[in-house]
């Protein structure tokens, strides 16, 4: 079972949307229909393209736009980060994340 089947509420992240290229998505969709030897090659090609796209996003300053959309002009809190990663976690990981959130809330109340 792959991760998305195990976690049906998983969704794409902002980074996924920034890296999305319709041609790469078409290639990903075609992978299961290719011979195994081509699947491996095309999968590696897709990953290389995504790495190159990520590098160019950082060089062009587009990643700072993603950061700003995350929390406006304020500094992000640990609780915001925990809430952002929770949808991608397994049930056990979600329990741990919720425990960490509660610890963060308690620490904020103390200080």
């Amino acid at each position: 079972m792959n991760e998305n089947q195990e976690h049906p509420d998983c969704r794409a992240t902002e980074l996924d949307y920034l890296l999305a290229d319709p041609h790469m998505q078409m290639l990903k969709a075609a992978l299961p229909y290719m011979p195994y030897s081509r699947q491996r090659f095309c999968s590696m090609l897709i990953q290389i393209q995504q790495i190159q796209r990520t590098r160019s996003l950082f060089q062009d300053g587009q990643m700072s736009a993603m950061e700003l959309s995350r929390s406006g002009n304020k500094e992000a809190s640990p609780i915001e980060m925990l809430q952002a990663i929770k949808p991608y976690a397994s049930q056990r990981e979600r329990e741990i994340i919720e425990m960490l959130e509660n610890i963060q809330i308690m620490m904020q109340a103390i200080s």
Side-chain angles (χ1 to χ4, degrees), residues 9 17 22 29 32 37 44 48 50-51 68 70 73-75 85 94 97 111:
D9 58 346
Y17 289 115
S37 60
M44 285 193 262
I48 290 167
Q50 288 182 325
I51 290 169
L68 291 175
R70 169 194 35 80
N73 293 327
K74 65 184 173 96
E75 188 174 317
I85 65 174
R94 287 179 191 198
I97 290 169
S111 55

Side-chain angles (χ1 to χ4, degrees), residues 66-82:
M66 182 175 72
E67 183 179 310
L68 291 175
S69 71
R70 169 194 35 80
S71 61
N73 293 327
K74 65 184 173 96
E75 188 174 317
S77 73
I79 292 175
E80 286 179 306
M81 182 191 67
L82 292 170

Side-chain angles (χ1 to χ4, degrees), residues 73-102:
N73 293 327
K74 65 184 173 96
E75 188 174 317
S77 73
I79 292 175
E80 286 179 306
M81 182 191 67
L82 292 170
Q83 290 171 346
I85 65 174
K86 195 187 308 186
Y88 307 100
S90 67
Q91 182 59 41
R92 176 72 180 127
E93 292 165 336
R94 287 179 191 198
E95 293 169 5
I96 293 168
I97 290 169
E98 288 169 3
M99 182 178 62
L100 292 171
E101 287 174 329
N102 291 331

Side-chain angles (χ1 to χ4, degrees), residues 18 53-69:
L18 285 171
R53 176 94 171 117
T54 303
R55 190 187 80 223
S56 71
L57 288 172
F58 274 100
Q59 288 175 342
D60 297 343
Q62 292 181 29
M63 293 304 285
S64 61
M66 182 175 72
E67 183 179 310
L68 291 175
S69 71

Side-chain angles (χ1 to χ4, degrees), residues 7 14 27 43 55 68 78:
H7 307 294
E14 286 188 60
L27 191 53
S43 180
R55 190 187 80 223
L68 291 175

Side-chain angles (χ1 to χ4, degrees), residues 79 100-110:
I79 292 175
L100 292 171
E101 287 174 329
N102 291 331
I103 291 170
Q104 283 294 317
I105 291 168
M106 289 179 0
M107 289 174 58
Q108 287 176 353
I110 291 172

